[in-house]
Amino acid sequence: MNRPIARILPKGLLAAAVLGGCLYLPPKAEADGIEVMDTIRVGLFITVPNKYTLSIPAATFSSDGGIAIGVSQGGTAKPLAFAVGGATARVAVENYSVLLGENSSFAAALAVFKAVQTAGGNAVLEAVDRGGGTSYQVSEGSYSSAAAAGTALAKWNANATVKAFGGGASVRGPLHLETAAYASEQEARLAMASFSASGTDTFLALRPSDS
């Protein structure tokens, strides 16, 4: 059984972590009319020495038959959740990134997102709840170390559009504080709403009962 928890990300908290994941389509699923295997592996980080390097901060997936979402540990897949048919699943690797700022204006956040993309960055725009109101965060990149993210931070702090957005950029790390497990998703969401209303980035997470 997977137990819901509230996962909290205080500003400035830094650490290193590695997360591997897989998406599982129903058996004999089809993509564009072509039968595919029931396990799809997606590389968010790809490095071929002296030939090819790719880093994507996030990817979105959808399947008419639904998608089971889990982690692979020691070659064994552990399903955690299921996205119903037609729904989208957004997947990202936990790593360092640069939080460029936050604003209640979607138009302002979108302008920063486009400016970062134009400048060659990998921008991500996310909506966050702030005590019943919606705010928009823009982050950039997926870096393997705090030092690499710090170098990127210095670069984006020199960008005029970023400087004018949301009160300044900062490095965001992959280590999170966690609450105790809750008996239901509803209880976890109530706790999450309380933290979010105070301005602390908080989101719902599932953890297998044997971990």
Side-chain angles (χ1 to χ4, degrees):
M1 178 180 179
N2 301 320
R3 301 293 297 276
I5 59 175
R7 182 163 284 177
I8 308 156
L9 177 58
K11 292 182 179 179
L13 185 62
L14 303 176
V18 177
L19 175 65
C22 294
L23 302 179
Y24 304 93
L25 297 179
K28 298 184 179 179
E30 293 186 357
D32 296 330
I34 302 174
E35 187 171 310
V36 298
M37 297 176 63
D38 63 348
T39 298
I40 293 181
R41 297 182 181 276
V42 178
L44 298 181
F45 294 90
I46 302 173
T47 300
V48 179
N50 302 318
K51 291 184 178 181
Y52 188 75
T53 298
L54 174 66
S55 176
I56 298 176
T60 302
F61 303 90
S62 179
S63 169
D64 290 340
I67 302 175
I69 303 169
V71 295
S72 178
Q73 297 177 333
T76 301
K78 294 185 177 182
L80 293 176
F82 186 83
V84 298
T88 57
R90 184 84 166 157
V91 181
V93 174
E94 293 273 41
N95 221 329
Y96 294 94
S97 64
V98 179
L99 179 60
L100 302 176
E102 179 178 322
N103 199 294
S104 60
S105 168
F106 175 77
L110 183 60
V112 172
F113 175 87
K114 290 181 177 180
V116 172
Q117 294 287 74
T118 300
N122 292 315
V124 176
L125 196 162
E126 300 173 288
V128 294
D129 181 74
R130 291 291 184 240
T134 301
S135 192
Y136 302 93
Q137 290 183 346
V138 181
S139 59
E140 190 281 327
S142 186
Y143 301 96
S144 60
S145 68
T151 299
L153 172 64
K155 170 188 172 181
W156 296 116
N157 271 333
N159 183 290
T161 304
V162 172
K163 287 177 66 175
F165 177 70
S170 60
V171 171
R172 182 162 60 179
L175 184 64
H176 308 279
L177 299 177
E178 296 179 354
T179 66
Y182 293 92
S184 68
E185 178 180 343
Q186 182 181 12
E187 289 184 36
R189 288 195 178 279
L190 287 174
M192 182 176 69
S194 177
F195 285 112
S196 295
S198 69
T200 302
D201 288 346
T202 312
F203 57 92
L204 196 66
L206 287 174
R207 168 179 283 180
S209 58
D210 59 353
S211 67

